[in-house]
Amino acid sequence: MTQRNIKMTVAYDGTAFLGWQTQAKGQRTVQDTIASGIEQLVGHEVNIIVSGRTDTGVHAEGQVINFTTTSAIPAQSFALAVQKFLPFDIKILDSTEVDLAFHSTFDAKQKLYRYKIYNRRSLLPQLRHHVCHIWQTLNFEKMQQAATVLVGEHDFASFKSNNGNRVKSTIRTIYQCALRREGDFIILDVEGSGFLYNMVRNIAGTLIEIGQGIHSKSMQEILDAKTRSAAGKRSCAAGLTLMHVTY
Amino acid sequence: MTQRNIKMTVAYDGTAFLGWQTQAKGQRTVQDTIASGIEQLVGHEVNIIVSGRTDTGVHAEGQVINFTTTSAIPAQSFALAVQKFLPFDIKILDSTEVDLAFHSTFDAKQKLYRYKIYNRRSLLPQLRHHVCHIWQTLNFEKMQQAATVLVGEHDFASFKSNNGNRVKSTIRTIYQCALRREGDFIILDVEGSGFLYNMVRNIAGTLIEIGQGIHSKSMQEILDAKTRSAAGKRSCAAGLTLMHVTY
C-alpha cells in the first residue's frame, strides 16, 4: 500500500483543551482528538506532526498538521470526512496531499500569532475565553513604539520561558510586531521565523506593563538585558491565537 | 425599612442559559441566577423586572433590570457586590438608584439589537456560540436595500412568531435597520420602539434568504403580506445580542 502525506489546516477553540499535546493519560488535547478522528476514518494509527504546539487555552485559526496514511480517500475530501469524527471545537479548514518529505514542524518558515487585549472597564462575559482583559487605561502610543523595537533579528533571551525546554539559541527574527486599535480591542500581530516557548505571551505581557506605565525599563533595555526577569509577566492564554504558518 | 429601587445594566453570554426566564424547575436561567446572587447579598427575596426576556442562546451587552430592596448598600456598590455571587457568564456593568416608579419593562423607550452573521466557507470554532454561520455567498447590497424597507412605523405581522403570545397590535416603529460588513462578518443593527417575539431573528432570517437569492418576494411584498409565511425562516439564536435599552 502506498504511503501518502496529507497536510491539513486546522482551527480550534482552545478553551476546553489541555493544550496541543498530551502530557498524561485522560487529558483532552487537540492532538489526541484530531488523531482519534483521523484514525476512525482511515482505520489505522496515525502520527500527527504539527507546526508547533499550543498551550492550554490558546486558540488556532490556521494551525498546520501533516500525517501519513495508506487511505485512498481523495486528498481534498479528507477535511470534510474527518470533520464527521470531530467535536464542535475543532474545524478542519482544508486538506491537500503533499510530498512525502514535507514535515509541518521543520518546514515551517514563518508563523503569525495574534494577541487580543480587551481594554474596557468591564469584561463582556461572551469574550472571556478569547481575550486578555485589561481594565486600566493603556498608553497605546507607548506600546506601539515599544513593539517596533522587537522587529528584526535579536537575542530574545528576555522573553524565553523559565519553564521551557533548553534551546540551543535564543536568537530569532521578527518580521512584524504591530499593534492596532479596533474599538475596545488592542490587537497585536507578531510574525516571526520561529518563537521560543511562551515568547509571544511574554512579549504581550511586557507591552501591557509598558502601556500601564508600571514597567521601569524601556523595550530596548529589556531586550539588551537578555534575562527573563527584565521583561514583564506572561499574559493570559485566552488572548492568543495562532493565525497562520508559512511554508 | 425604606424600599429602594435599584437599576442595573447587565451583560451575559447566553450560551449556557435556557434563556432569561424560568419555565420549569431546575433550568439554569439568567433571571434565576441573578436573583439568587442578589438575594445572597441583600438577605431577602427579590423580584427582578427586566426590559425584555431573551431566548435560549441569545446574548446581552446592555440588558436592563430593576428590583426593590431594603438593603442600605450604596447604589453604585451593588454592581461589584452582587458580582461576587455570580458565575463568569454574567457581568453586572453598573448599578444606580432610581425612582420607585421606574419599571424596566414599561419604561423602555427603545431597544437596540445586533445580529452577527459570519459569512465564510468554514465556521471558526471559537465563534460558534456567538454568530450565525452562512457559508453561501450573500448579495450584501440586496440585503442592505431590503433592510431599509423596514425603517418606519409598519405592521410587522409577517415577522411575528407563530409560537409567541397573542399581542394586541403588531404595529411597531423601527428607527434603524442597517447592515455593514466587517471583514468576514455582516452586522445587522436594528433599533426600535419595541419588538414582537422573535421579530429580530425573523427579520435576520429573511434578510439572509434575500441575500442568498432564495426568497421569491421583495421585502416590501413580505411586509405587505402581513402573514408569517411570507417571510423567511427564523435565524439562529447565537447571532443575536441585546445591545442597549433607552429609557
Side-chain angles (χ1 to χ4, degrees):
Chain A
M1 293 200 280
T2 321
Q3 286 285 344
R4 302 162 68 207
N5 194 5
I6 305 294
K7 179 189 173 203
M8 282 178 173
T9 312
V10 183
Y12 46 86
D13 183 334
T15 310
F17 290 104
L18 277 157
W20 176 265
Q21 196 173 52
T22 309
Q23 318 279 333
K25 246 200 150 163
Q27 294 179 341
R28 187 177 189 255
T29 65
V30 186
Q31 183 184 33
D32 281 0
T33 309
I34 295 178
S36 155
I38 297 173
E39 286 167 1
Q40 286 176 71
L41 177 70
V42 300
H44 62 76
E45 269 193 37
V46 294
N47 174 32
I48 294 184
I49 302 166
V50 68
S51 81
R53 304 175 204 168
T54 49
D55 276 347
T56 300
V58 173
H59 315 287
E61 294 193 17
Q63 176 63 286
V64 176
I65 63 169
N66 73 291
F67 59 94
T68 54
T69 178
T70 52
S71 162
I73 296 171
Q76 267 138 46
S77 305
F78 260 102
L80 216 61
V82 174
Q83 193 63 49
K84 293 192 177 74
F85 299 98
L86 295 179
F88 289 121
D89 44 2
I90 298 180
K91 183 88 185 182
I92 311 293
L93 299 176
D94 59 55
S95 53
T96 50
E97 188 162 354
V98 288
D99 195 277
L100 275 176
F102 175 83
H103 192 287
S104 53
T105 319
F106 301 139
D107 293 343
K109 295 272 180 297
Q110 286 183 38
K111 278 183 200 165
L112 171 64
Y113 281 97
R114 182 161 293 168
Y115 197 86
K116 286 183 200 156
I117 298 163
Y118 185 66
N119 187 27
R120 209 180 90 157
R121 197 174 58 114
S122 297
L123 173 63
L124 285 177
Q126 30 278 68
L127 298 171
R128 70 196 185 283
H129 298 307
H130 300 100
V131 297
C132 170
H133 178 227
I134 303 292
W135 62 268
Q136 296 101 327
T137 308
L138 292 172
N139 186 329
F140 178 68
E141 286 69 30
K142 228 171 136 189
M143 293 169 74
Q144 258 188 330
Q145 281 166 16
T148 61
V149 172
L150 299 176
V151 176
E153 190 187 78
H154 301 289
D155 185 338
F156 286 98
S158 294
F159 300 99
K160 172 181 171 266
S161 169
N162 288 327
N163 310 320
N165 298 332
R166 284 203 195 144
V167 284
K168 279 183 199 157
S169 164
T170 48
I171 292 172
R172 295 288 184 280
T173 302
I174 287 193
Y175 303 108
Q176 186 200 161
C177 188
L179 283 160
R180 64 174 186 280
R181 269 199 186 280
E182 284 188 10
D184 292 323
F185 295 87
I186 292 178
I187 313 282
L188 168 68
D189 277 343
V190 190
E191 192 158 21
S193 60
F195 293 91
L196 303 165
Y197 184 60
N198 279 161
M199 182 169 148
V200 179
R201 286 166 65 188
N202 290 336
I203 288 174
T206 304
L207 288 171
I208 290 165
E209 291 185 12
I210 287 172
Q212 290 169 323
I214 61 173
H215 210 288
S216 54
K217 292 190 177 66
S218 74
M219 191 57 105
Q220 191 61 57
E221 287 169 333
I222 294 165
L223 200 59
D224 293 344
K226 288 174 198 166
T227 172
R228 179 65 190 91
S229 60
K233 280 193 202 124
R234 183 183 70 170
S235 60
C236 71
L240 187 62
T241 301
L242 172 58
M243 297 299 291
H244 187 72
V245 187
T246 308
Y247 287 93
Chain B
M1 294 201 280
T2 322
Q3 285 285 346
R4 302 163 68 207
N5 194 5
I6 305 295
K7 179 190 173 200
M8 283 178 171
T9 312
V10 183
Y12 46 85
D13 183 334
T15 310
F17 290 104
L18 276 158
W20 175 265
Q21 196 172 54
T22 309
Q23 318 278 334
K25 247 201 151 164
Q27 293 180 340
R28 186 179 189 255
T29 65
V30 187
Q31 184 183 32
D32 281 359
T33 309
I34 295 177
S36 157
I38 297 172
E39 286 167 1
Q40 285 177 71
L41 178 71
V42 301
H44 62 76
E45 269 193 37
V46 294
N47 175 32
I48 294 184
I49 302 166
V50 68
S51 81
R53 303 174 206 171
T54 50
D55 275 347
T56 301
V58 172
H59 315 287
E61 294 192 18
Q63 177 64 285
V64 176
I65 63 169
N66 73 291
F67 59 94
T68 55
T69 178
T70 51
S71 162
I73 295 171
Q76 267 139 47
S77 305
F78 261 103
L80 216 62
V82 173
Q83 193 63 49
K84 292 191 179 75
F85 299 99
L86 295 179
F88 289 121
D89 44 3
I90 298 179
K91 183 90 184 180
I92 310 294
L93 299 176
D94 60 54
S95 52
T96 49
E97 190 162 352
V98 288
D99 195 276
L100 276 175
F102 175 83
H103 191 289
S104 52
T105 318
F106 302 139
D107 293 344
K109 295 269 181 296
Q110 286 184 39
K111 279 185 200 164
L112 171 63
Y113 280 97
R114 181 162 292 168
Y115 198 85
K116 286 183 198 153
I117 298 164
Y118 185 67
N119 188 26
R120 208 180 89 159
R121 197 176 55 118
S122 297
L123 173 63
L124 284 177
Q126 30 277 68
L127 298 172
R128 69 196 186 284
H129 298 306
H130 300 100
V131 298
C132 170
H133 178 225
I134 303 292
W135 63 268
Q136 296 100 326
T137 308
L138 292 171
N139 186 330
F140 177 68
E141 286 69 31
K142 228 172 138 188
M143 292 170 76
Q144 258 188 330
Q145 281 167 16
T148 61
V149 172
L150 299 177
V151 176
E153 189 186 80
H154 301 289
D155 185 339
F156 287 98
S158 293
F159 300 98
K160 173 180 170 271
S161 170
N162 288 327
N163 310 318
N165 298 331
R166 285 206 192 140
V167 283
K168 280 183 199 157
S169 164
T170 48
I171 292 172
R172 295 288 184 278
T173 303
I174 287 193
Y175 303 107
Q176 187 201 160
C177 188
L179 282 161
R180 64 175 187 280
R181 269 200 186 277
E182 285 188 9
D184 293 323
F185 296 86
I186 293 177
I187 313 283
L188 168 68
D189 277 343
V190 190
E191 192 159 20
S193 61
F195 294 92
L196 303 166
Y197 184 60
N198 280 161
M199 181 170 149
V200 179
R201 286 166 64 189
N202 289 337
I203 288 174
T206 304
L207 288 172
I208 290 165
E209 290 185 13
I210 287 171
Q212 290 169 324
I214 61 175
H215 209 287
S216 54
K217 292 191 177 64
S218 73
M219 191 57 104
Q220 191 61 57
E221 288 169 332
I222 294 165
L223 200 59
D224 293 344
K226 289 174 200 169
T227 172
R228 179 65 190 92
S229 60
K233 279 193 203 125
R234 184 183 69 171
S235 60
C236 71
L240 186 62
T241 300
L242 172 59
M243 297 300 290
H244 186 73
V245 187
T246 307
Y247 287 94

